[in-house]
Amino acid sequence: MKVTTDAREASSDHHRAVREFVAAARAIEPTRWEQPLGEGKWTPAQVAEHVRLSYEIFSAQLSGGQGLRIRTSWWMRQLLRWRFLGGILQQGVLPAGARAPREVRPGDGPFDKDAVLVALEEAAAEAEAGLVRRWADPTCVMTHHVFGNLRPPEGMRLATVHTRHHAAQLAPRAHTD
C-alpha cells in the first residue's frame, strides 16, 4: 500500500500492522523472549520495546513534546528523501542496516512481555488517533532522525512500514535453528 490521502484507510492499515506485530510478539515462546534473534541482533523483547518507544516519542511530539532529533543536514535530508523515502512509503520496505536513533533504542531488559505489549498498543493507538485528528493540519509534523519533518499521511505510513518490518523479524521463520 502506498501513502494515501484517506485518513480512515491509512488508520485501518496502521491498526492492522500493530495487531500483526502484537500477535507475532505474543506467539514468541517465553524461553525465546529474551534471546537474541541472531548474532548481534536484538531480542524479541528489545524489538517490542523499540517499537513501543517509537510510538511513545511520536505521541509525545503530537501532544506538543519533543520528537526525534534530526541528525542530517538539510541537503542530506533532501538527498535521502529523494533516494529512499518514496520507495519506503510505496513499497513498504525499510533499507537493510538502518539503525535506530538513540531515543528509541531499547535497554538490555529484561522486559515483561505483557506490560510492553499493552503499553505498545496504547502508545500506537494514541499516535494513530493524533495523526488522524491532525491529518490535514499544515502545522502538524512528525520528525524522523534522517528524513526530517513528515506530514501526517507520511508519518502514518512510515509508522505502519516500521511496525510491519519489526513484525516480520518476530515471525516464526526468523527463529529456525
Side-chain angles (χ1 to χ4, degrees):
M1 180 180 177
K2 61 183 175 140
V3 176
T4 179
T5 57
D6 184 318
R8 276 189 237 143
E9 183 181 344
S11 177
S12 178
D13 189 40
H14 175 261
H15 190 73
R16 275 192 306 277
V18 172
R19 282 194 326 260
E20 291 163 9
F21 180 89
V22 170
R26 289 206 185 280
I28 301 285
E29 293 293 325
T31 57
R32 298 196 82 128
W33 182 244
E34 296 286 347
Q35 298 299 312
L37 293 168
E39 184 68 35
K41 302 288 184 185
W42 285 342
T43 68
Q46 288 173 306
V47 171
E49 176 67 359
H50 162 69
V51 174
R52 183 195 70 77
L53 290 169
S54 298
Y55 282 116
E56 289 282 342
I57 203 161
F58 295 151
S59 293
Q61 184 174 16
L62 291 169
S63 298
Q66 185 68 32
L68 290 173
R69 185 172 69 82
I70 299 171
R71 291 170 168 80
T72 52
S73 65
W74 179 87
W75 67 269
M76 182 59 77
R77 274 194 306 281
Q78 303 316 304
L79 176 65
L80 293 171
R81 287 175 76 97
W82 171 78
R83 176 69 177 94
F84 294 106
L85 184 59
I88 291 168
L89 300 178
Q90 293 293 323
Q91 277 85 49
V93 178
L94 294 176
R99 290 187 40 95
R102 268 182 241 112
E103 298 97 323
V104 294
R105 286 186 201 148
D108 292 333
F111 298 100
D112 179 79
K113 184 191 280 193
D114 289 330
V116 168
L117 296 178
V118 167
L120 184 156
E121 287 176 305
E122 290 170 356
E126 187 177 326
E128 181 180 309
L131 286 168
V132 169
R133 192 170 40 256
R134 298 188 62 198
W135 195 257
D137 180 348
T139 67
C140 180
V141 294
M142 202 172 91
T143 57
H144 184 272
H145 66 291
V146 172
F147 299 125
N149 292 336
L150 303 174
R151 308 284 315 132
E154 295 171 317
M156 178 86 79
R157 177 63 179 150
L158 189 59
T160 301
V161 170
H162 178 254
T163 301
R164 283 206 171 108
H165 165 80
H166 288 299
Q169 292 177 326
L170 301 182
R173 69 181 181 285
H175 301 293
T176 56
D177 293 322

